[in-house]
Amino acid sequence: MNKAIFWDFDGTLVHSQHLWSNAIYETLLHYIPDTPVTFEEIRALTFDLYPWDTPDEDFTQITGSRWWKHMEGRFSEKYVKAGVPLDTAQQASTHIREKILQKEKYHLYEDTLSVLGACRILGYHNYILSNNYPELPEMAEDLGLTSFFDEIIVSGLVGYDKPRREIFQIALETADFPEVCYMVGDNPVADIQGARQMKIPGILVHRGEHPDADHCLDTLTQLLTIPGFR
């Protein structure tokens, strides 16, 4: 029997405290050490910044290297909105990428590797299904995750963001339409509602209870105790 698990990345397999906001703010401090702009102001400006904030849009024309060019423009716009001079905003925006791609910014949950390994032993094929930048496959390799996964499907490479049906359809096709599959993630909308519309059971982790999820888990290890999971 073909069995598959689609795993979200950040907040599910790894955690990175305010990764994007910190990168944007740290980069600004490098250019303007005495900036009056606060971290809280930067964070407030990032809530509609990313492609996954507007998943109804079609981003198929800005995948791969074009993804970051698009994001640099968005970063610059937000800097200017915060009062940063345009030339400084444009320069700073080109250096956020390097901070986001620093391996040390990401920390595996303590049970990530053991659970991924256990799922493979149980006959599941693992797939990362993430709203993220196009270099996510390389980051997964740097973090020692690649050997646990059959494929990595990432919005920055396919141009659709969860909860859009298209990215889930790509995942199902990649997994050869498994008879049994689950979506494991920490976002009730992107992961759980997105999976539900495709009739994929959704498992919410690290986020407490939510009525849309088929199961809500405090740890990844609890996945192995779900009745019928094996």
Side-chain angles (χ1 to χ4, degrees), residues 13-31:
L13 299 172
V14 309
H15 52 97
S16 57
Q17 186 68 17
H18 302 317
L19 172 67
W20 292 86
S21 298
N22 277 324
I24 295 167
Y25 189 61
E26 290 169 7
T27 303
L28 177 60
L29 288 177
H30 175 79
Y31 279 86

Side-chain angles (χ1 to χ4, degrees), residues 8 11-12 131 162 185-194 204-205 207:
D8 177 52
T12 300
N131 291 343
K162 297 178 293 184
D186 70 306
N187 189 304
V189 176
D191 298 319
I192 304 306
Q193 292 182 14
L204 188 71
V205 294
R207 288 290 295 271

Side-chain angles (χ1 to χ4, degrees), residues 4-8 127 129 153 171-172 175 178 181-185 200:
I5 304 175
F6 302 123
W7 301 84
D8 177 52
Y127 301 87
L129 178 56
I153 302 104
L172 288 169
C181 67
Y182 298 92
M183 175 73 218
V184 181
I200 299 171

Side-chain angles (χ1 to χ4, degrees), residues 29-221:
L29 288 177
H30 175 79
Y31 279 86
I32 310 177
D34 59 347
T35 180
V37 180
T38 66
F39 172 78
E40 288 71 23
E41 289 175 303
I42 289 294
R43 183 156 170 74
L45 287 171
T46 64
F47 287 119
D48 64 346
L49 177 60
Y50 313 103
W52 46 85
D53 292 327
T54 55
D56 288 340
E57 293 186 46
D58 184 328
F59 293 102
T60 53
Q61 300 305 307
I62 57 166
T63 57
S65 61
R66 293 186 294 272
W67 192 90
W68 281 108
K69 293 301 294 183
H70 168 78
M71 288 308 303
E72 287 170 10
R74 298 288 288 139
F75 294 144
S76 181
E77 290 172 8
K78 295 299 184 179
Y79 276 145
V80 170
K81 192 170 182 178
V84 177
L86 178 59
D87 58 341
T88 302
Q90 291 174 334
Q91 291 180 47
S93 294
T94 64
H95 292 283
I96 294 170
R97 175 183 186 177
E98 61 197 50
K99 290 189 176 295
I100 294 295
L101 297 181
Q102 291 174 346
K103 173 185 173 182
E104 59 270 21
K105 302 283 189 182
Y106 303 84
H107 308 280
L108 296 175
Y109 283 99
E110 62 181 12
D111 55 355
T112 292
L113 299 183
S114 62
V115 172
L116 290 173
C119 289
R120 291 198 76 129
I121 291 172
L122 290 171
Y124 286 91
H125 296 275
N126 293 318
Y127 301 87
I128 289 178
L129 178 56
S130 176
N131 291 343
N132 227 311
Y133 48 75
E135 293 90 347
L136 187 61
E138 289 81 0
M139 181 57 69
E141 182 173 4
D142 289 343
L143 294 171
L145 292 172
T146 303
S147 63
F148 294 93
F149 289 93
D150 289 68
E151 291 286 348
I152 296 175
I153 302 104
V154 56
S155 61
L157 290 173
V158 302
Y160 300 110
D161 294 87
K162 297 178 293 184
R164 281 189 71 137
R165 296 179 63 91
E166 290 92 338
I167 192 169
F168 281 93
Q169 185 66 25
I170 291 170
L172 288 169
E173 291 172 359
T174 301
D176 196 23
F177 299 101
E179 293 93 334
V180 176
C181 67
Y182 298 92
M183 175 73 218
V184 181
D186 70 306
N187 189 304
V189 176
D191 298 319
I192 304 306
Q193 292 182 14
R196 170 174 282 191
Q197 69 181 334
M198 304 298 287
K199 303 188 185 308
I200 299 171
I203 300 173
L204 188 71
V205 294
H206 307 135
R207 288 290 295 271
E209 296 293 321
H210 195 279
D212 288 339
D214 291 275
H215 302 279
C216 298
L217 311 178
D218 294 324
T219 67
L220 295 176
T221 301

